[in-house]
Amino acid sequence: MVVTLRDVARAAGVSPATASRALSAPDLVAPARREHVQQVARDLGYRPNRAARELITGRTGNLCLVVPDLENPFFAAVAKGVQARARALGFALLVADAEEDPRLESELVGHLGAQVDGVILCSPRMADAALDRLGRDVLDDDVPLLLVNRLHSGLPSVVIDNADGVRQAVTHLYALGHRRIGYAGGPVGSWSDAQRRRGLEHASHGLRSVEVVDLGHFPPLFGGGVAAGDLVAASGVTAVLAHNDLLALGILSRLRARGVRVPEDVSVVGYDDIPAATLVSPALTTVTVPLARLGRAAVDLLIEAGSVPTAAESALAAALTAAERTRHPAPAITIGDIGAGAVPPSVLIGVELVVRASTGVAPAQSSAAGG
Amino acid sequence: MVVTLRDVARAAGVSPATASRALSAPDLVAPARREHVQQVARDLGYRPNRAARELITGRTGNLCLVVPDLENPFFAAVAKGVQARARALGFALLVADAEEDPRLESELVGHLGAQVDGVILCSPRMADAALDRLGRDVLDDDVPLLLVNRLHSGLPSVVIDNADGVRQAVTHLYALGHRRIGYAGGPVGSWSDAQRRRGLEHASHGLRSVEVVDLGHFPPLFGGGVAAGDLVAASGVTAVLAHNDLLALGILSRLRARGVRVPEDVSVVGYDDIPAATLVSPALTTVTVPLARLGRAAVDLLIEAGSVPTAAESALAAALTAAERTRHPAPAITIGDIGAGAVPPSVLIGVELVVRASTGVAPAQSSAAGG
DNA sequence: TCGATGGATGAATGCGATTTCAGCACGGCC
DNA sequence: GGCCGTGCTGAAATCGCATTCATCCATCGA
């Protein structure tokens, strides 16, 4: 029923060894014979058995992506980029949703890591110690692990320039006259949140008489913005920077519900620039992150860092790769050591503030500014 | 370095055969010895080699999901449901993004189908003929193919009750006094669009003096709604039903930009109930589709229809399955033949209209209603 | 007490591809 | 002319596991 390499060999009148070589190491076989075998293979509709190949070569041709929540537009966008690049390079992609659960993350990496050539772990919620363990014990040594949106000593990673993002946002608000600026943070323990807080502090130090009000930690979801919105109203800030867009949208919604006008009374800035940011009114001023590029860069770096041989066995895959590379040339990214003692190569993805309608000049006099 | 079954066998003082049985056919080996082998395997950190197992059993433990666009919240939600159920049943999930390209769809199913135990094809854009070919030529006979959101003779499928959805929507609008109702359709050739048109026609026949105005076909994206919005304004309808929420949101946005008030001047109804539907103002009245359930049902039916033995080899997977089943009991769905000559089992997922702020009573007198 | 029965075990085989290793033919070089 | 390298090819081993088949031993029934 199913045609195997032996069948091809027999039909072509050569040994299985030669047939194998003709297909996967063409220069080892005489041109005429090679062509013939390839033709026969095509005619017979031969499809190499991946399991058999994997058994002996040890490579699966699969990559794996673990995200906290597939439905979150941030991760969906990253996943799309990762998937596209993986396919272009001849890899299939296993996708797993960790449901925001640190333990499930480890478990998934452990399970899936055993059957792939590389793992991309996006925005891991797990603690540093768990991350250490992953690299050391859980994964085979020849399965590279790459982090997205998190920096960890000893692991290659692709991160966005959080500090610069908040700097741009705060500078923008400062220029609009805001002096008391709230920060609605992400979950406790979130690495990117810590990054942004640090960037925020640093940026505000550079600006005269700017006060940053920490509104606390919130789930980075629309629902989290409701609680945050009330705190915004109560805190007397004239502007708020949210950990991400979903949170910002929730704040927007809550403020409107309470009769607080945006941007007349309060300005709101998000982070990520998810599609929904432009769907609301007022459209959200936010820090745009090239998420698809992030995903593509992750795959590229994973392949490179892990020196995973691309499974570009088929001419198709090769062609796709070329096309993909052309359409998406190497992004303008910084490569190198970006702190935290990261020895393996890391890529820093630049971000950009997009000003929309949710930010405006600060109200004339903030009552909370003190008499 | 890596511990194999032989190692376990040697360490436990049994033959590889017994070790194999102790782990994957426990009742064939004496209790004491079984326990011992299992303990040794645990101690040694034995992880069965999937490739070897696959090579001999022919099963991969992987399923595959192909969607037109991972970033589309509709498909993201389905993917999440599929992934969750697949994992609960012990399967890993390969996800592929077909980029709305019918040819790429076929290609992906062909490529990935060779390395999975079953394929779920969601909202295929390809023609019926291509779908036929998939089932016949492209896939191995033992790799079941299941459709989501599309019905096709000879293939099992999970579909949503499109006709009932539009019926509910139209009835709602009728009750609000609307008589001229526009329909902003999905892409040409979209199966679900055809379904909804049919349901629309049928529903409107049952309502006195209702006129349905076909506004044409649009890309089911926010951008498509801009063009559609202008047509809504020009057509003199007092209400519009959009093919999906993204389109509806685009219409909403365009109408606002043109100074048309929603719902005072025009009512808008979406379809799918994506998260963004509640983020906008006015919040979108829409037909809510239980997308995660849709995904779970797809996996269940695929396993069942293809009689794919669940890879619930580990106790963990089994436990997860039980837990998952408990948390998500069998949905209230209709199983059976639902037309189009579908012989394999198909599941029909019920939908429900959720009324929010984008629909209201029809304006007193529509000028387009004629003298 | 002996043969039949059946449960538990081990040796051997095969899944389908890759990859040594050895062999063969040919050509160049001394 | 003989020797050696070079270029191709085929036989066979291998990857790790499941499974068939044969064996063995204990137990039961007569």
Side-chain angles (χ1 to χ4, degrees), chain B:
Chain B
M1 202 65 208
V2 60
V3 42
T4 143
L5 189 62
R6 297 179 78 91
D7 302 331
V8 175
R10 204 172 315 150
V14 299
S15 76
T18 301
S20 172
R21 282 188 282 251
L23 296 172
S24 48
D27 19 309
L28 290 184
V29 57
R33 206 178 285 255
R34 176 205 314 160
E35 303 276 323
H36 179 224
V37 172
Q38 290 176 347
Q39 185 58 49
V40 169
R42 238 169 294 145
D43 292 347
L44 264 53
Y46 169 70
R47 312 264 299 164
N49 180 315
R50 297 183 62 100
R53 178 173 291 179
E54 174 184 347
L55 185 56
I56 190 164
T57 64
R59 269 171 300 105
T60 65
N62 295 338
L63 300 181
C64 160
L65 171 69
V66 178
V67 298
D69 177 12
L70 259 180
E71 226 173 331
N72 184 320
F74 180 94
F75 301 122
V78 173
K80 179 149 181 150
V82 168
Q83 199 276 332
R85 187 63 127 202
R87 186 167 54 73
L89 263 43
F91 290 96
L93 184 69
L94 290 164
V95 175
D97 185 318
E99 299 172 15
E100 301 276 358
D101 179 349
R103 278 192 21 206
L104 189 49
E105 270 173 0
S106 290
E107 192 187 310
L108 287 171
V109 171
H111 269 153
L112 299 174
Q115 55 172 315
V116 298
D117 297 339
V119 177
I120 295 175
L121 182 52
C122 184
S123 304
R125 309 310 201 201
M126 71 181 76
D128 278 344
L131 223 38
D132 272 331
R133 220 173 307 129
L134 270 197
R136 269 208 329 277
D137 306 337
V138 177
L139 284 175
D140 285 353
D141 291 333
D142 53 352
V143 176
L145 172 64
L146 178 134
L147 301 181
V148 168
N149 208 18
R150 173 114 173 224
L151 223 46
H152 184 82
S153 165
L155 293 175
S157 52
V158 175
V159 294
I160 59 189
D161 198 339
N162 284 303
D164 189 55
V166 294
R167 186 195 59 72
Q168 291 185 45
V170 169
T171 305
H172 167 61
L173 291 173
Y174 184 83
L176 289 173
H178 298 275
R179 293 300 177 265
R180 268 175 69 83
I181 299 174
Y183 178 67
V188 180
S190 155
W191 178 84
S192 62
D193 187 58
Q195 284 269 306
R196 289 179 201 174
R197 281 173 194 279
R198 215 169 315 154
L200 197 54
E201 191 177 353
H202 188 264
S204 61
H205 278 332
L207 297 173
R208 187 186 299 268
S209 68
V210 161
E211 183 188 358
V212 171
V213 179
D214 183 357
L215 300 177
H217 296 272
F218 305 90
L221 303 169
F222 185 82
V226 175
D230 289 334
L231 275 171
V232 168
S235 64
V237 300
T238 63
V240 58
L241 173 58
H243 175 258
N244 73 359
D245 282 352
L246 287 173
L247 192 55
L249 292 176
I251 292 174
L252 226 50
S253 160
R254 183 58 169 181
L255 288 180
R256 176 173 34 232
R258 295 192 37 167
V260 178
R261 295 167 307 160
V262 175
E264 291 81 358
D265 301 329
V266 172
S267 289
V268 177
V269 179
Y271 209 109
D272 294 343
D273 195 19
I274 63 176
T278 63
L279 306 188
V280 296
S281 162
L284 190 63
T285 292
T286 187
V287 176
T288 189
V289 178
L291 295 174
R293 175 192 294 180
L294 189 68
R296 291 198 303 270
V299 174
D300 286 342
L301 187 57
L302 179 69
I303 300 300
E304 192 183 325
S307 62
V308 176
T310 63
E313 57 204 19
S314 69
L316 172 71
L320 274 175
T321 307
E324 170 86 354
R325 283 248 154 89
T326 305
R327 257 192 301 157
H328 303 293
I333 47 185
T334 310
I335 299 188
D337 182 46
I338 46 179
V343 176
S346 289
V347 172
L348 186 66
I349 302 278
V351 299
E352 207 170 306
L353 182 76
V354 283
V355 177
R356 300 207 181 95
S358 69
T359 49
V361 290
Q365 193 69 311
S366 165
S367 64

Side-chain angles (χ1 to χ4, degrees), chain A:
Chain A
M1 202 65 207
V2 60
V3 40
T4 143
L5 188 62
R6 297 181 79 89
D7 300 332
V8 175
R10 203 171 317 149
V14 299
S15 76
T18 302
S20 173
R21 282 188 282 251
L23 296 173
S24 47
D27 19 309
L28 291 183
V29 61
R33 207 177 284 257
R34 175 205 316 160
E35 303 276 323
H36 179 224
V37 172
Q38 290 176 348
Q39 185 58 49
V40 169
R42 237 169 295 143
D43 292 348
L44 264 53
Y46 167 69
R47 312 262 300 163
N49 180 317
R50 297 183 61 103
R53 175 175 293 178
E54 175 185 346
L55 184 57
I56 190 160
T57 63
R59 271 172 298 105
T60 65
N62 295 337
L63 300 180
C64 160
L65 171 69
V66 177
V67 297
D69 176 12
L70 258 180
E71 225 173 333
N72 184 321
F74 180 95
F75 302 122
V78 173
K80 179 151 181 149
V82 168
Q83 198 276 333
R85 188 62 127 204
R87 186 167 56 72
L89 262 44
F91 290 96
L93 184 69
L94 289 164
V95 175
D97 185 317
E99 298 171 16
E100 301 277 358
D101 178 349
R103 277 192 21 206
L104 189 49
E105 270 173 0
S106 290
E107 193 187 310
L108 288 171
V109 171
H111 268 153
L112 299 174
Q115 56 173 314
V116 298
D117 296 340
V119 177
I120 296 175
L121 182 53
C122 184
S123 304
R125 309 310 201 202
M126 72 181 75
D128 277 345
L131 223 37
D132 271 331
R133 220 172 308 129
L134 270 197
R136 269 208 327 278
D137 305 337
V138 178
L139 283 175
D140 285 354
D141 291 334
D142 53 352
V143 176
L145 172 64
L146 178 135
L147 302 181
V148 168
N149 208 18
R150 172 111 172 227
L151 224 47
H152 184 84
S153 165
L155 293 176
S157 52
V158 176
V159 294
I160 59 188
D161 198 339
N162 283 304
D164 188 56
V166 294
R167 186 195 59 71
Q168 291 185 44
V170 169
T171 305
H172 167 61
L173 292 173
Y174 184 83
L176 289 173
H178 298 275
R179 293 299 176 268
R180 267 176 68 82
I181 300 175
Y183 178 67
V188 180
S190 156
W191 178 85
S192 63
D193 188 58
Q195 283 270 306
R196 289 179 201 174
R197 281 175 193 277
R198 215 168 315 155
L200 197 54
E201 192 177 353
H202 189 264
S204 61
H205 279 332
L207 297 173
R208 185 186 301 267
S209 68
V210 161
E211 183 188 356
V212 170
V213 179
D214 183 357
L215 300 176
H217 296 271
F218 305 89
L221 302 169
F222 185 81
V226 176
D230 289 334
L231 275 171
V232 169
S235 65
V237 300
T238 63
V240 58
L241 173 57
H243 175 259
N244 74 358
D245 283 351
L246 288 174
L247 191 56
L249 293 177
I251 292 174
L252 227 49
S253 160
R254 182 60 169 181
L255 289 180
R256 175 174 36 229
R258 294 192 38 165
V260 178
R261 294 166 307 160
V262 175
E264 291 82 357
D265 300 329
V266 172
S267 288
V268 176
V269 179
Y271 209 110
D272 293 345
D273 195 19
I274 63 176
T278 62
L279 307 189
V280 296
S281 163
L284 190 64
T285 292
T286 187
V287 177
T288 189
V289 178
L291 295 174
R293 174 192 293 178
L294 189 68
R296 292 197 302 270
V299 174
D300 286 342
L301 187 57
L302 178 70
I303 300 300
E304 192 182 325
S307 61
V308 176
T310 62
E313 58 203 19
S314 68
L316 172 71
L320 276 174
T321 306
E324 171 85 356
R325 283 247 154 90
T326 305
R327 257 192 301 156
H328 304 293
I333 47 185
T334 311
I335 298 188
D337 182 45
I338 46 180
V343 176
S346 290
V347 172
L348 187 66
I349 302 277
V351 300
E352 207 170 307
L353 182 76
V354 283
V355 177
R356 299 208 181 95
S358 68
T359 49
V361 291
Q365 193 71 312
S366 165
S367 64

